[in-house]
Amino acid sequence: MKNRKYNFGKLLAQAQQGQLEVKELKKVIKAAQDFGFTVIAGQFQMYVYQPANIAPDHAPAEVLARVAQGISYLNAHRIPLTRTKQMLKRHGVIETIHRITSDAIPSKNLEILASSNHLYLSAEAIVLDHPELFSEKVVSLAKIKLAKVDGHPNSSCGPFLLAA
């Protein structure tokens, strides 16, 4: 391994602001893993998929960031989400979330996010935090799905709301 110094704090701030290219980010992740810093490597993995990969629509920057982090998290756990990435690139966040939340059955990805305490990165959580961006049907289905994975139909599940 080359004799290289890393300022992981500074690099993480750059990753959070989208200033690191994916190639650079993967090198930093590899270096963190090589040094045995698995927690730090995990933090960097949350920024591999970037909001710039999403077609522009009227979604707020915070929504774009959460969607990108959710995809990055699932990708880090070897879930490729190829079709979802294609939809995001073609249709943007709002239309993609409408499409992937169109039934009341919780997806495997939603269950993975719920079991790992990353439910706030799910499309359903985003819908409930920004109901003004989505149809009433999608908001209602998001509540149902979150109640199924959380087990509490009217509880708060992290930073998003379950109230209409």
Side-chain angles (χ1 to χ4, degrees), residues 70-129:
I71 294 208
S72 293
Y73 181 82
L74 291 167
N75 282 175
H77 289 82
R78 309 228 188 275
I79 300 167
L81 301 172
T82 306
R83 189 140 159 68
T84 301
K85 289 179 191 175
Q86 288 172 347
M87 282 193 289
L88 286 166
K89 193 170 189 168
R90 287 186 191 134
H91 306 291
V93 170
I94 307 299
E95 178 62 27
T96 300
I97 289 179
H98 267 97
R99 290 178 183 208
I100 65 176
T101 59
S102 63
D103 63 43
I105 301 168
S107 68
K108 181 180 178 183
N109 297 337
L110 178 62
E111 292 172 355
I112 290 168
L113 291 170
S115 68
S116 63
N117 292 326
H118 286 85
L119 199 52
Y120 67 98
L121 297 174
S122 71
E124 293 78 7
I126 292 168
V127 167
L128 295 187
D129 282 347

Side-chain angles (χ1 to χ4, degrees), residues 11-31:
L11 290 167
L12 184 58
Q14 290 174 328
Q16 291 169 334
Q17 295 169 1
Q19 297 174 346
L20 293 180
E21 296 290 325
V22 173
K23 195 173 187 178
E24 294 173 283
L25 199 49
K26 288 185 177 186
K27 285 181 184 179
V28 172
I29 292 168
K30 172 89 170 88

Side-chain angles (χ1 to χ4, degrees), residues 30 38 45 54-55 64 93 104 129 138-139 142 146:
K30 172 89 170 88
T38 55
Q45 287 175 331
I54 301 171
L64 294 172
V93 170
D129 282 347
V138 168
V139 173
L146 288 170

Side-chain angles (χ1 to χ4, degrees), residues 25-77:
L25 199 49
K26 288 185 177 186
K27 285 181 184 179
V28 172
I29 292 168
K30 172 89 170 88
Q33 290 169 336
D34 289 347
F35 287 122
F37 301 140
T38 55
V39 172
I40 292 171
Q43 289 175 327
F44 280 103
Q45 287 175 331
M46 296 295 284
Y47 302 99
V48 172
Y49 186 83
Q50 299 186 354
N53 297 333
I54 301 171
D57 60 9
H58 63 280
E62 186 265 335
V63 171
L64 294 172
R66 279 174 62 186
V67 167
Q69 284 183 354
I71 294 208
S72 293
Y73 181 82
L74 291 167
N75 282 175
H77 289 82

